[in-house]
Each structure stands twice: as structure tokens, then as C-alpha cells.
Amino acid sequence: MSLQLQPGTTTVGFIGLGVMGNSMAGHIAKAGYELHVYTRTAAKAKQLLEQGAIWHDTPAKLAAASDVIITMVGFPQDVDELYNGENGLIRHAKEGAYLIDMTTSSPLLAKRIYEAAATKGLHVLDAPVSGGDIGARNAALSIMVGADEQVFENVLPLLKLMGSNIVRQGEPGAGQHTKMCNQIVIASNMIGVCESIAYAKKAGLNPKTVLASIETGAAGSWSLSNLGPRIIDGNFEPGFYVKHFIKDMGIALEAAREMGMDTPGLAQAHSLYQQLAELGHEDEGTQALYKLWDN
């Protein structure tokens, strides 16, 4: 099962050139790997094509050309179709190929994909990420991996091009379960970040100087330090979409129910973000939750 990842000889396919995927694929191209990309229109991959990437108009064609395929799409149903559909990766990938799904998706779906791929001689990893657009641009993502141990070791050099904190959490599905832990923390934390900034404004304080005092103490968090300033500046552009966060929280709520676990903080955050989406903000960044207090 040995795979020697070598720039110039290993071909890497990338599907999902969104806010984060474009940067992640760019790091792979800059490292010298032959990069293949799939998008519905070539124009969406323009920047990568200018760097030498090769565009395909179907996932099947990309799969046939790639030794390693990385996917980062929107929703579990997209993952299911991409891997298991008629034009899907499992049907069309080369025998022995490595398929790395970096979408935040269902742990149960990750296991099903792993089992289906194994019957075709394919190696699957679920490897969701955290760090948003900033982490993707800086190749500093946290990557949470569920995979067979040797499979993980084989592709680790490639993962290191995109992330700085890469941990194998266990067997297939474990990466997705770990990402659910991550999203549960963020969900309640974002409520606290938004309420804190709203409170500072109501109290007549300067939110920027408040942030300078609290972000290095016990209240400190990635969301406070990176999204707090965006909130204060009125910047609600997506580093991570509200609609995708709602999807993630829904997966976590379902997985918790399957385990017989109550998650009231997560449920409250999910409800608030659904309110935000109903107000028309689903395509903004998660920091747009602040708009529920900004009145």
C-alpha cells in the first residue's frame, strides 16, 4: 500500500474550489504536483488554470487522471453523489487511488464510503478541516483525520501542504466525529463573542480596546481574535458560510441524538443561526450572527 508522493509524478485531483478550496489547491500546485480540478465551469478555476492546473468537466474524468483525489464540497448529499453516483469517484477512480474527503460531513456516510471504496481497491480518508479562509490561505489548517494508520502515513506529506495541525483521530469516521466536537465548541463560543461585543457597545465602551483586554485572557478564542475584529469593522464576508455552519450543526445534533446525548448549547446556536438565515444572511460569514443583536 506504499505511496510515494512525488511532485512531478503524482497527480492530484481537487474538487471543491470554494472560499477555502481554492487556496488549498493552490498550495498543492505551488509544491509542484500536477493538479487536476473539476468545476462546472472552467472560469471558476481560472486562477489555478493560470498556475498550470488541468480542468475536467466531470468528476469521472478527473478521477481517471488522478492518483490522489481531494474533495471539499458543500453538503453530505453532495458528498454521497460525488462518491457513489454514476459519474462518481468510487466507480471511476484508478485502483489503488487515495480519496481524501475534507468536507464536513456525516460520520456514518464517511464509514459507508470507506467500505464501498475498499471493495474497489481504493483508500479513503475523512479529513475535515478547521481554520476558515485565513487558515486555508496560510496553509495553517487543523486537519482531523479518520483513516487506516498506514493510509494516513502515506498521504501525510500532502496534508502538510495545507495544514499545520494534522492528527489521525482513529478509524474511518473519526475525523468527522472530531469535527463535530470542533463545531460544538464554535457554536456556543460565537454566541458569546457576539453578545460580548454587543454588550461593550451598549455600555459605551470602545469594542476594539475591550477586545485588546479580553482576547489574551481566559475568554480568548480563535473566533474572538479573528472574527471579533471583523464584526467590529462591519465585515460580514464569508470565511465560512452561515448556511454551511447550519448544515454542520445539524449533522452534530443528529449524531448526538444517535448517541442518546443532549446538547442544549448546540441546539440554541442552531436555532439562532436558522433565524439569521431566515433574515436573508445565509451566504454571509458566521460572524454575521452579530446582526441579531445589532439593532
Side-chain angles (χ1 to χ4, degrees), residues 6-22:
Q6 297 291 341
T9 59
T10 301
T11 58
V12 179
F14 205 109
I15 299 175
L17 302 178
V19 171
M20 297 171 66
N22 229 305

Side-chain angles (χ1 to χ4, degrees), residues 18 21-22 33 98 108 115-116 128 152 164 191 207 215-216 247 280 283 293:
N22 229 305
Y33 287 92
Y98 287 70
L108 288 177
E115 290 165 359
F152 170 71
S164 59
I191 296 174
E215 68 175 335
T216 59
K247 174 263 296 184
D283 288 321
W293 285 268

Side-chain angles (χ1 to χ4, degrees), residues 173-295:
Q176 296 296 353
H177 274 305
T178 304
K179 183 60 185 290
M180 293 304 102
C181 295
N182 184 84
Q183 302 306 72
I184 289 168
V185 171
I186 291 173
S188 293
N189 184 234
M190 280 305 302
I191 296 174
V193 169
C194 295
E195 286 187 343
S196 176
I197 293 172
Y199 181 97
K201 285 188 174 183
K202 287 283 187 182
L205 303 173
N206 181 333
K208 290 187 177 181
T209 60
V210 171
L211 187 61
S213 289
I214 69 174
E215 68 175 335
T216 59
S221 70
W222 188 95
S223 295
L224 186 65
S225 294
N226 289 279
L227 299 181
R230 295 191 190 188
I231 291 171
I232 294 167
D233 291 339
N235 175 4
F236 301 106
E237 290 298 309
F240 186 59
Y241 286 106
V242 165
K243 62 186 177 184
H244 289 161
F245 194 37
I246 292 172
K247 174 263 296 184
D248 292 358
M249 288 186 284
I251 294 169
L253 285 165
E254 182 179 356
R257 283 193 295 268
E258 289 167 355
M259 296 185 291
M261 180 183 175
D262 187 26
T263 52
L266 176 63
Q268 175 66 6
H270 187 248
S271 175
L272 290 173
Y273 271 101
Q274 285 182 315
Q275 291 178 42
L276 186 68
E278 289 166 5
L279 291 171
H281 303 296
E282 65 172 11
D283 288 321
E284 296 181 8
T286 52
Q287 70 274 21
L289 184 67
Y290 176 75
K291 291 185 176 182
L292 296 184
W293 285 268
D294 189 26
N295 49 46

Side-chain angles (χ1 to χ4, degrees), residues 24-88:
M24 295 160 70
H27 296 313
I28 294 168
K30 287 173 187 174
Y33 287 92
E34 182 179 294
L35 180 69
H36 295 249
V37 297
Y38 160 73
T39 55
R40 288 185 177 88
T41 60
K44 191 171 182 181
K46 181 175 183 292
Q47 184 177 353
L48 291 169
L49 297 181
E50 290 172 351
Q51 295 176 38
I54 299 165
W55 178 72
H56 297 274
D57 60 2
T58 69
K61 292 177 182 177
L62 177 142
S66 303
D67 301 313
V68 180
I69 305 168
I70 298 171
T71 58
M72 193 168 184
V73 294
F75 296 86
Q77 58 265 35
D78 301 320
V79 175
D80 196 7
E81 176 64 23
L82 181 58
Y83 279 82
N84 297 317
E86 188 68 26
N87 270 317

Side-chain angles (χ1 to χ4, degrees), residues 135-150:
R137 284 198 304 270
N138 296 334
L141 293 168
S142 176
I143 305 177
M144 311 154 217
V145 184
D148 296 333
E149 188 168 2
Q150 187 58 57

